[in-house]
Amino acid sequence: MRRLLARRMKFHLFGAFFVSLGCAALYKFGIAEPRKRAYAEFYKNYDPMKDFEAMRAAGVLESAPPK
């Protein structure tokens, strides 16, 4: 029973480190990177003036009435 806590803590510390490292890697490559690519693809072809004119024509903007 001697040093039981120290042995168990060492095991759990290493286990927690590797689990957290795995979760971070899964988040980065499973969520963050695809999200970055989606935003980059969207803004590659995005025309803000065209979007503004569409919102203006729909009457969404109060400060810019439709023509």
Side-chain angles (χ1 to χ4, degrees):
M1 296 294 276
R2 289 179 188 229
R3 297 190 194 98
L4 179 63
L5 178 62
R7 278 186 301 180
R8 300 284 296 177
M9 189 173 301
K10 188 183 298 184
F11 172 75
H12 285 105
L13 186 66
F14 286 128
F17 176 74
F18 287 118
V19 167
S20 64
L21 194 64
C23 288
L26 283 174
Y27 179 81
K28 178 173 173 49
F29 295 114
I31 296 172
E33 291 297 325
R35 187 178 290 173
K36 284 182 196 177
R37 282 194 301 273
Y39 274 105
E41 185 64 32
F42 174 77
Y43 283 111
K44 189 184 300 181
N45 302 321
Y46 180 67
D47 183 16
M49 288 308 294
K50 182 180 174 186
D51 199 26
F52 170 74
E53 291 300 329
M55 287 190 290
R56 184 178 185 180
V60 175
L61 305 171
E62 292 180 13
S63 62
K67 288 184 178 180

